[in-house]
Amino acid sequence: MSTYKNKVYLASPFFSDGQKDRIAQVVALLKQNPTIDADGIFIPQDHQFESEPFGSFKWQDAVFASDMRQVHKADVVVAILDYQLEEGLTEPDSGTIFEIGSAHEANIPVIMVQFGENSQLNLMLARSYTAFFNGKDDIQNLKSYNFNNLEQKYTDKKVL
């Protein structure tokens, strides 16, 4: 019997080296997971429509449409909440939050990942995830988490 391989939309900011490093770490772990389609991980930073001038209306329209289409095609959304971790700020990226809300509204499971162990969590995010991986050690469990069973995994973070 073969195991179903889930397609993933990876929601995360990708504007700094630290953010890109966190993406690379999460992608490497997901690719080791037998319940994930290693070739079916959609990483928005790799789909930026370079044919259009960055920031132009056509570019915005194309990126938004593509990202929303991919969120809704995914079996699961994995969201990295850390945004400006290197600056000591703990608020997640607004685009990532929008993608989480879109997935939740479409009944697509959301798996949240947060490297910053001392970050607080907004109530709306705290009630919209299926599983939460917090801190560098816990994040390692992404490679063995069963994305087919989607066992609930809570955090005891302080909720705002």
Side-chain angles (χ1 to χ4, degrees):
M1 183 170 85
S2 64
T3 300
Y4 181 76
K5 307 276 188 187
N6 291 275
K7 294 191 180 322
V8 173
Y9 181 92
L10 185 61
S12 176
F14 50 87
F15 312 110
S16 73
D17 290 342
Q19 293 162 359
K20 291 176 184 177
D21 181 56
R22 288 187 287 277
I23 290 169
Q25 289 179 57
V26 169
V27 168
L29 293 167
L30 291 173
K31 285 186 174 190
Q32 294 175 58
N33 188 305
T35 62
I36 295 294
D37 177 355
D39 296 323
I41 301 171
F42 184 86
I43 306 166
Q45 72 178 359
D46 296 340
H47 304 274
Q48 287 297 297
F49 296 91
E50 286 83 8
S51 60
E52 298 294 339
F54 179 82
S56 68
F57 179 80
K58 284 185 177 182
W59 175 86
Q60 292 174 39
D61 197 47
V63 169
F64 178 81
S66 172
D67 287 357
M68 288 298 93
R69 186 170 46 254
Q70 293 301 323
V71 163
H72 292 103
K73 284 175 62 176
D75 295 308
V76 62
V77 168
V78 174
I80 303 174
L81 298 184
D82 304 280
Y83 179 29
Q84 296 175 310
L85 186 61
E86 291 76 16
E87 290 85 19
L89 303 174
T90 60
E91 191 69 25
D93 166 61
S94 57
T96 302
I97 293 170
F98 186 90
E99 292 161 336
I100 289 168
S102 296
H104 181 74
E105 185 62 21
N107 294 313
I108 297 165
V110 175
I111 308 302
M112 292 187 192
V113 176
Q114 194 163 50
F115 285 77
E117 294 183 47
N118 298 322
S119 302
Q120 293 179 328
L121 192 60
N122 177 277
L123 168 67
M124 301 307 278
L125 295 178
R127 301 310 330 135
S128 63
Y129 68 78
T130 298
F132 194 99
F133 294 87
N134 185 222
K136 290 180 182 175
D137 291 339
D138 192 28
I139 289 168
Q140 296 301 310
N141 293 315
L142 284 168
K143 63 185 168 195
S144 59
Y145 179 76
N146 189 325
F147 283 85
N148 290 329
N149 292 347
L150 293 166
E151 180 180 332
Q152 291 191 323
K153 181 179 178 318
Y154 296 104
T155 180
D156 58 0
K157 281 181 165 291
K158 181 177 180 185
V159 173
L160 302 175

